Amino acid sequence: MSGRDVMPVSEAQIAVAAGLSLFDARGNRIRFGALFELEKTVVVFIRHFFCVSCQKYVSNLTAVRPDALERAGTKIVIVGCGDWLLVKNYCRLTCGKPHPLISYYADPNRNIYRALGISTQSTHNNKRRGRCILMNTVRSVMSFLRNPLHIGRQGSSSQLGGAFIVGPNNKCSFAHYMQHAEDHINVPELIRKAGVRIAYPQA
């Protein structure tokens, strides 16, 4: 992991983000703060809905057993910067069947991304990484071609992501900012920081 782990984001900064809106899979406008005001929540901001690296990462998150999250009083929220019309398909692609403690949302204008200071600039520009990201993007686009209306609505390809542990209220206990397109914090580490005892479904 080479991302930037920072001191917990201030309550004032979280409060600003909490007052902003995002959208669920049905296009309903939801206040961001409503997602974590009552309980501890792991909020993962992906890069965009076509990012294969993010898809794999979210798939790993969905493998965490609901009972483990429930015992820790924790839930997971996934936020993408594309159109809300892609949320339902992204959920199906990364989770298969619905996970009771993981929900998906869209922040198409990236207002919450900006409020939390999530970068759009990569600090890793080597050609090998660039080719890998390009190929991943092409493969992801191909998976979405079954519905051509999704093309162009995935969100900005320059957007980076991050992971935050927030709640209850505007408390933030951990923040990780991606420094390049494949720079997710390791899933077991993130889950442990949220106080969840790692538990995956039995084979």
Side-chain angles (χ1 to χ4, degrees):
M1 181 185 67
S2 60
R4 181 167 60 97
D5 294 345
V6 301
M7 294 295 291
V9 180
S10 71
E11 289 194 19
Q13 189 174 0
I14 294 294
V16 171
L20 300 173
S21 297
L22 34 62
F23 298 88
D24 65 14
R26 296 183 177 181
N28 298 311
R29 187 183 294 271
I30 308 293
R31 184 174 61 84
F32 180 51
L35 301 177
F36 54 81
E37 63 187 2
L38 298 179
E39 61 187 312
K40 181 172 53 179
T41 304
V42 176
V43 183
V44 173
F45 290 85
I46 64 170
R47 294 184 56 244
H48 57 82
F49 288 124
F50 282 1
C51 176
V52 170
S53 176
C54 290
Q55 289 174 12
K56 292 179 179 178
Y57 186 78
V58 173
S59 293
N60 288 335
L61 276 172
T62 65
V64 178
R65 285 169 43 179
D67 60 320
L69 291 169
E70 188 173 8
R71 283 195 298 270
T74 303
K75 63 181 181 181
I76 298 174
V77 165
I78 309 298
V79 181
C81 69
D83 195 296
W84 66 264
L85 288 170
L86 279 70
V87 171
K88 185 176 181 179
N89 187 72
Y90 192 82
C91 178
R92 185 165 51 243
L93 183 68
T94 56
C95 192
K97 60 182 180 180
H99 189 296
L101 292 176
I102 299 180
S103 53
Y104 294 71
Y105 301 89
D107 177 22
N109 295 320
R110 294 186 286 165
N111 292 329
I112 300 173
Y113 282 76
R114 294 188 185 94
L116 293 175
I118 302 175
S119 178
T120 59
Q121 298 296 319
S122 174
T123 58
H124 288 237
N125 295 314
N126 64 74
K127 293 182 179 179
R128 181 178 179 183
R129 185 180 299 277
R131 285 195 298 269
C132 178
I133 294 171
L134 176 61
M135 291 303 297
N136 282 342
T137 301
V138 170
R139 285 194 291 268
S140 184
V141 170
M142 292 300 292
S143 72
F144 274 83
L145 282 177
R146 296 173 183 174
N147 191 336
L149 294 178
H150 290 170
I151 302 301
R153 297 185 175 187
Q154 72 274 9
S156 173
S157 60
S158 66
Q159 180 65 59
L160 294 177
F164 301 79
I165 300 174
V166 292
N169 299 313
N170 294 327
K171 176 184 177 182
C172 177
S173 58
F174 176 77
H176 170 87
Y177 290 87
M178 293 173 64
Q179 297 297 288
H180 58 82
E182 297 177 306
D183 191 29
H184 295 283
I185 180 174
N186 182 271
V187 168
E189 181 179 355
L190 175 62
I191 295 302
R192 281 196 299 270
K193 286 181 179 295
V196 180
R197 185 174 180 178
I198 298 297
Y200 293 95
Q202 294 181 351

